[in-house]
Amino acid sequence: MSWVIVFLGFCALIMLHEAGHYFAAKATGMRVEKFFLFFGPKLWSFRRGETEYGVASIPLGGYVKISGMSPEEELPPEVADRAYYRQPVWKRIVVIAAGPAVNVVLAFLILAGVFYFSAAQPSREVERVEPGTAAAGVLRPGDRIVAVDGHRFAGLDAEARNERFRDLVAAHRCPGRQVDGCVAATPVRLTFSRGGELRTVSLRPRYDAEAGRALIGFAYGSEPAQISLGTAAGRALDAIWTVTERTAEVFSRIFEAEQRRQLSGVVGISDAGHRAVETSATQALLLLALVSLSLGIINLLPILPLDGGHIFWSLVEKARGRPVSLRVMERASIVGFAFVAVLFFIGLSNDLGRLGTDSLEAR
């Protein structure tokens, strides 16, 4: 069932992307001939008004066919003025950019919603105790931390409370040079509640070189937190910016083997989607947002046949003051198709190379 949900999720992203092109074309007065999910031979369709809607047989994307997408396309006189290449450059850019814009906006809405409804903060209860640490054999999951070295942190929020806790524990240093695993010279007095009974113990934290400070050796659990819609929106924008930066870094250094290994194709994304659906609805929604955002960003690459390629050549036409020759566009399309094919091959090769391992995940 999870694979069906993943497939339907991908179909929804494709339909929404194409719907962006469709509604923008209609709004700017262009004639839309077809709106299809998938490519290849037609499986099923119906016509409403001047547009044919349907499903094709090859499940790789979808398309909206607007009259006059080719400058040399011959059209009946009654629809010629609504052809794509008869429109001002700004209208063409609006229509082409609408598809990726829908994907980015959808990703933002999903992320903001997930961050708002699933916001959490560290609780005061112990969730996990690391073996071989000062806390092992002393603390148990479910214990509630009350005070550290006599400080109860009354009135502080979870983030400030945890920061103060870390500072107090880190103040207990090893004698001499701080090396990984060394024991603090002075103990931490830790007060906690277990079964309604208060207990106070003395624990000597150990220095952890990776963390760069002394640790007792336990992790807090989490509890629901209330955040504002503005905070959720801010976190969503931060996540979008991080993914965009990371995507730009991968493509700017695509000739480096390490960066190429970060790419995943349909196989990897589908497998990650299957795992996410089986894990939780939250994980599934986060992955859907990531895929939607990636679809929007990648489609804005300035190469044909991607949307960004059409936008780029429209801007070139605007700068030149006259249309770009069809021969130049055809050559650019050939190069673009080759680049997209190479990316597809790299992603598929990476996915196949990860089969049978635990590293098959969306990038």
Side-chain angles (χ1 to χ4, degrees):
M1 184 63 185
S2 60
W3 291 106
V4 175
I5 295 175
V6 171
F7 178 75
L8 293 177
F10 286 165
C11 290
L13 291 183
I14 293 169
M15 292 291 287
L16 289 169
H17 177 95
E18 299 304 331
H21 295 312
Y22 171 85
F23 285 110
K26 289 285 191 179
T28 54
M30 298 184 194
R31 180 173 181 263
V32 180
E33 298 180 18
K34 295 183 178 181
F35 185 135
F36 266 70
L37 177 65
F38 306 148
F39 294 105
K42 177 172 60 179
L43 292 178
W44 168 84
S45 72
F46 68 93
R47 178 173 292 278
R48 180 168 295 172
E50 62 186 11
T51 306
E52 181 183 10
Y53 305 85
V55 179
S57 56
I58 304 176
L60 291 174
Y63 68 96
V64 168
K65 187 178 187 305
I66 302 172
S67 299
M69 284 294 291
S70 169
E72 296 186 349
E73 182 179 350
E74 294 185 4
L75 296 171
E78 63 271 17
V79 299
D81 63 331
R82 299 174 61 200
Y84 176 83
Y85 267 106
R86 293 287 185 92
Q87 309 305 311
V89 169
W90 73 267
K91 285 189 177 182
R92 283 183 265 156
I93 291 177
V94 166
V95 170
I96 297 301
V102 167
N103 290 124
V104 175
V105 171
L106 176 64
F108 169 77
L109 293 175
I110 293 174
L111 289 172
V114 169
F115 291 150
Y116 181 75
F117 289 106
S118 64
Q121 63 184 8
S123 68
R124 290 196 178 198
E125 289 190 357
V126 175
E127 180 181 62
R128 185 180 72 256
V129 178
E130 298 294 339
T133 64
V138 179
L139 295 179
R140 300 175 186 173
D143 289 346
R144 183 177 178 83
I145 306 300
V146 176
V148 180
D149 287 339
H151 299 278
R152 291 178 174 264
F153 316 124
L156 296 181
D157 61 25
E159 185 176 347
R161 185 177 68 236
N162 278 8
E163 184 177 352
R164 184 72 178 122
F165 176 90
R166 288 193 298 267
D167 291 342
L168 287 170
V169 174
H172 293 264
R173 298 172 60 82
C174 302
R177 185 166 170 263
Q178 308 299 299
V179 296
D180 193 43
C182 70
V183 179
T186 56
V188 173
R189 289 188 300 110
L190 193 67
T191 302
F192 62 92
S193 172
R194 178 184 296 170
E197 178 187 350
L198 283 180
R199 304 184 182 189
T200 299
V201 296
S202 294
L203 303 175
R204 291 183 182 269
R206 296 178 181 272
Y207 182 79
D208 185 283
E210 184 177 350
R213 56 187 173 84
L215 301 177
I216 290 178
F218 74 91
Y220 284 116
S222 61
E223 59 187 11
Q226 293 292 325
I227 63 173
S228 67
L229 284 173
T231 300
R235 292 180 182 179
L237 290 174
D238 289 341
I240 288 174
W241 180 251
T242 299
V243 172
T244 302
E245 276 191 318
R246 182 64 186 135
T247 303
E249 180 183 0
V250 170
F251 281 103
S252 66
R253 299 165 58 188
I254 195 66
F255 295 106
E256 299 178 16
E258 184 62 32
Q259 294 300 321
R260 288 198 299 273
R261 282 194 288 269
Q262 302 302 309
L263 296 176
S264 276
V266 176
V267 175
I269 295 173
S270 299
D271 184 78
H274 162 69
R275 296 188 198 182
V277 169
E278 292 192 334
T279 300
S280 68
T282 297
Q283 290 299 315
L285 286 171
L286 287 173
L287 182 64
L288 185 67
L290 175 61
V291 174
S292 181
L293 178 59
S294 299
L295 182 62
I297 294 171
I298 292 173
N299 259 288
L300 288 174
L301 291 175
I303 56 174
L304 293 172
L306 301 180
D307 294 332
H310 290 283
I311 294 173
F312 172 78
W313 288 107
S314 293
L315 292 174
V316 170
E317 176 182 331
K318 184 67 175 178
R320 296 175 76 239
R322 63 183 186 279
V324 179
S325 72
L326 183 60
R327 177 169 297 183
V328 171
M329 298 285 285
E330 289 174 342
R331 289 175 178 172
S333 295
I334 293 172
V335 174
F337 271 111
F339 181 74
V340 172
V342 168
L343 290 180
F344 179 85
F345 175 78
I346 292 173
L348 181 60
S349 298
N350 288 342
D351 292 344
L352 295 177
R354 297 183 188 114
L355 287 176
T357 70
D358 292 331
S359 61
L360 186 59
E361 58 183 34
R363 300 285 177 173

